[in-house]
Amino acid sequence: MTINGENQEFEVLGKGIDLRENGYRLQLNLDRRNNDPYREQGVSIVLPYQKTGKNIIERFNYHQYINAVAFNGDFINGELESTVLTNTRTCFSATFSGS
């Protein structure tokens, strides 16, 4: 993932597919800790399972805890533009930008 022009590598900590009234929902939880409890970052993404297209991400939460300072943000309420390119049982790919 590239954040503010810097390449950052996250690992998938959890994923799930939930049944809801209007279909299935995919949730991905990504994390970047580097084994340092004072530097952690995470992303949670929720969107319809197997759907692709523009601005279909329903939730894009980012959190970080660096040097005892916490930040949490839901970027869907901001100016997030996204395009989901691949959304299968084995692969997820998307581009996004925003502030």
Side-chain angles (χ1 to χ4, degrees), residues 6-57:
E6 177 186 338
N7 287 333
Q8 299 185 21
E9 193 168 314
F10 288 74
E11 79 177 274
V12 177
L13 283 186
K15 58 186 176 184
I17 300 170
D18 300 321
L19 177 61
R20 57 184 180 177
E21 287 182 17
N22 58 348
Y24 292 92
R25 177 180 73 177
L26 173 66
Q27 180 166 339
L28 300 170
N29 295 308
L30 313 171
D31 189 68
R32 180 176 184 226
R33 291 183 189 222
N34 299 326
N35 294 321
D36 182 350
Y38 297 104
R39 287 189 63 79
E40 69 177 64
Q41 295 172 287
V43 174
S44 176
I45 301 170
V46 174
L47 68 156
Y49 178 56
Q50 294 188 330
K51 187 173 181 181
T52 59
K54 291 192 174 286
N55 301 320
I56 63 166
I57 294 176

Side-chain angles (χ1 to χ4, degrees), residues 51-54 56 82-88 91-95:
K51 187 173 181 181
T52 59
K54 291 192 174 286
I56 63 166
S82 65
T83 302
V84 176
L85 305 168
T86 307
N87 184 358
T88 69
C91 184
F92 174 79
S93 174
T95 61

